Structures are given as C-alpha cells and as structure tokens.
Amino acid sequence: MDGAFIDWDSANVHVLTHSLHYGLGVFEGIRCYQTERGPAVFKLREHVARLFSSAHIFLMKVPFTEEEIFEAIIKTVGVNRVKECYIRPLVYIGYGAMGLYPKDNPVRVSIAVWPWGAYLGEEGLTKGIRIKVSSFIRGHVNSNLSRGKVSGYYVNSQLAKKEAISCGYDEAILLDTEGYVSEGSGENVFIVRNGVLKTTPLTSILEGITRGSIIEIARDEGLRIVEERFTRDELYIADEAFFTGTAAEITPIREVDGRTIGDGRPGAITSKLQAIFFDLVKGKVKKYQSWLTYV
Ligand code: PPE
C-alpha cells in the first residue's frame, strides 16, 4: 500500500475514503500462472499501461511511475510466495475532503494478490456457461468512458450479474445504448459463425487484454476474425460463443436466453483457442514467451 508491504490483516482504509463513497478508483485485474520457470505474470506491461490510461482519462495523478508499479507488482507476487494468483492494483482517492471535488485528497495505490480459481467455475471452463442478455444496458460511451477500467462502472455490471443469477443463469451479457451486443459483466465476447470469428468493436467495450491476445492467436492460427457489431439474435444463432477476460480466461458459452449455442458444448474453434491460451500462459508456447514476465 502506497509503497510499503503491509500485512493482509492491516491493509485497511478509513471509512471516509473518498473512492468508497463516490466510486472513482481505477484498477486492473492481472493473472500470474505457474510455469516450469516459476510464476509468470501475463501481459504485465499492457495491464500497467491500461491502469495509467484509466488514471489519465479520469485526471488522477498516480504518485508512482509505470516502471515503479511494474516492479511493485512483481515484488508483491514474490513476497507472497504464491505460485499462481490474481493481482489487483487499485488507484483510489483517499481520506480528506468529502464532496465531489476532492482537490487535495491523496491519490493512493494498493496492489493485492490472492489465489483465484476459475471465475465462472471449473465446470464452466470445460462445459461452458449459460448466459442472459441483461435488461440493463451498458452505459453510453459518453458516460462510461470505455477505455477506462473504473470501479464505479461495476455498479452497472453488478445489476446485470445479480439479475442473470436470480434468473438461474451463470453470467450476464449487456447490450449497448444502440441495442447491439457489447460485453459481459466482466468479460469480452466472441462468436463463431460459418468458421469466422467475430468480436464486438472497441466502441462500447473495455479494450480487453485477453481479447487482444485471442485476436492475435486466431490470426496466427490462420482463422478469419472480424471486429464488427452484432445483434443479440446473431448471438442466438452462433455456432460457438465464448467470453474472454483475465478472471474468466476463455470461458465457452453454451446457452443464451434459453437458446442452445451449437450443440451445447464448447465448439472446435473455442476449444482450440482455449487450449493454446492455457498452454501459453503456462510458458509452453515459445512464440508467446514475450507475453510473460517471470517473477
Ligand atoms: N470487459 C469488462 C467489463 C471487464 O471488467 C473485463 C475484465 C474485461 C472486459 C476483459 O478484460 P481483460 O481482463 O483485460 O481481458 N474484468 C476484470 C474484473 C473481474 C472482476 O470480477 O473483478 C478481470 O477479468 O480481471
């Protein structure tokens, strides 16, 4: 926290911490995987860059350099002696004035790591999940500036997720303000139709780092991939569909709003991309070694 290692139980803040009340905090979700050469962090450089972009968009001055945060993340994984973990850097506004203009409140930074298994369940990874198109829509791009990863946005995501779960589904997918598919509550989405991969363009979604990786892998595999808007009914008739995200990794989707996707099992392209992804994060694919930072 703020440049020092703090014991887990002492990692506390004052109840009047500004971000806790008003939701302006920017964060990252990063994973570190076990490899033959020890723990390796996936796409660390990209995650740190996105954290600073988020801060820039929201006029928050991070009191550390990108290089310092990069190093601090590696050290935090190291001192915790974990083999695999999720990493959560958070830049937030600390205690000071209340009200919506926290001019002199300190900008604080924390980095926490903990073991976090399959986000949507082990079974979700192998068999696929059931999702619901949310009745809540993703905020307009002039309200939810989509290049930022901001704590407050996840109020909307939680509305969608709670609704989906209360209806018996595993996860929600949100439409954008124009009615096109945008993204999951915490994932980007891909579909496959007639052998062509399609994913939503960056206009109304978080620029997912896993999404970018999958696009690159798909191209390397000679697959056709387009970034194009699509409607909920195109999702219904997709041959395959899957979510990507740091937490969700590559999670196949087997049902949307009661409609079975394909034959209700992870499709061939989904399974192939998922297998390559899990191999590469574990350091088993030479071509993608540069995506890993060894601790
Ligand atoms: N869209 C949203 C809205 C989102 O929150 C995430 C990540 C993504 C797309 C995928 O981005 P990337 O991780 O760079 O591939 N969501 C993070 C938070 C999940 C949570 O429950 O907390 C994550 O996956 O770490």
Side-chain angles (χ1 to χ4, degrees):
M1 288 177 87
D2 310 310
F5 289 115
I6 306 290
D7 283 341
W8 184 270
D9 290 330
S10 311
N12 303 314
V13 294
H14 194 275
V15 72
L16 290 187
T17 294
H18 197 275
S19 295
L20 200 51
H21 295 253
Y22 304 118
L24 180 50
V26 297
F27 68 98
E28 273 305 313
I30 311 170
R31 274 193 194 266
C32 171
Y33 291 90
Q34 189 173 1
T35 76
E36 273 181 358
R37 292 166 54 197
V41 182
F42 180 64
K43 293 226 166 166
L44 180 54
R45 191 68 64 193
E46 288 81 352
H47 280 285
V48 173
R50 191 172 66 183
L51 181 69
F52 276 75
S53 296
S54 297
H56 176 79
I57 292 168
F58 285 88
L59 302 168
M60 296 170 84
K61 203 176 154 0
V62 185
F64 298 96
T65 63
E66 284 196 40
E67 203 49 44
E68 285 171 327
I69 298 294
F70 184 93
E71 291 301 326
I73 288 170
I74 296 170
K75 281 188 188 145
T76 309
V77 174
V79 297
N80 279 285
R81 281 186 256 121
V82 282
K83 295 194 179 91
E84 292 206 315
C85 62
Y86 185 82
I87 305 162
R88 171 55 56 81
L90 172 69
V91 176
Y92 61 103
I93 303 171
Y95 172 86
M98 291 302 272
L100 296 183
Y101 191 65
K103 188 167 151 277
D104 298 318
N105 292 29
V107 173
R108 301 189 58 184
V109 182
S110 62
I111 299 164
V113 310
W114 68 89
W116 201 358
Y119 186 62
L120 294 158
E122 268 310 323
E123 206 182 288
L125 278 184
T126 53
K127 296 193 171 145
I129 57 164
R130 301 173 52 249
I131 69 169
K132 175 181 165 35
V133 173
S134 184
S135 72
F136 301 101
I137 58 170
R138 194 192 194 283
H140 189 276
V141 290
N142 270 335
S143 304
N144 281 22
L145 312 176
S146 64
R147 288 297 189 284
K149 192 163 171 61
V150 180
S151 304
Y153 294 175
Y154 290 85
V155 171
N156 188 40
S157 285
Q158 287 177 76
L159 274 174
K161 180 122 193 174
K162 284 184 184 188
E163 179 188 58
I165 289 178
S166 74
C167 294
Y169 290 89
D170 302 309
E171 181 57 293
I173 188 157
L174 292 91
L175 305 179
D176 65 20
T177 45
E178 291 175 85
Y180 293 91
V181 171
S182 65
E183 58 184 341
S185 72
E187 309 88 357
N188 293 123
V189 67
F190 286 74
I191 58 172
V192 179
R193 255 189 99 202
N194 305 322
V196 179
L197 268 161
K198 192 182 272 192
T199 192
T200 43
L202 290 176
T203 41
S204 69
I205 58 167
L206 181 73
E207 186 171 11
I209 288 165
T210 321
R211 174 188 178 280
S213 309
I214 286 296
I215 290 174
E216 212 174 313
I217 296 166
R219 289 202 177 117
D220 288 350
E221 291 301 307
L223 294 165
R224 254 197 78 203
I225 169 139
V226 292
E227 295 176 63
E228 227 173 73
R229 295 207 293 194
F230 57 90
T231 51
R232 68 192 289 171
D233 56 344
E234 188 166 347
L235 179 58
Y236 292 163
I237 59 171
D239 302 323
E240 305 181 27
F242 60 91
F243 273 143
T244 65
T246 299
E249 301 170 303
I250 314 298
T251 302
I253 296 167
R254 66 179 165 92
E255 188 188 312
V256 184
D257 292 347
R259 281 96 172 160
T260 303
I261 302 299
D263 62 3
R265 283 176 303 188
I269 292 177
T270 305
S271 300
K272 181 178 185 173
L273 294 170
Q274 189 193 48
I276 296 171
F277 178 82
F278 280 122
D279 275 350
L280 85 88
V281 294
K282 288 167 189 150
K284 293 180 191 161
V285 186
K286 220 170 175 184
K287 188 165 37 171
Y288 304 120
Q289 277 296 335
S290 63
W291 293 3
L292 303 179
T293 302
Y294 288 89
V295 174

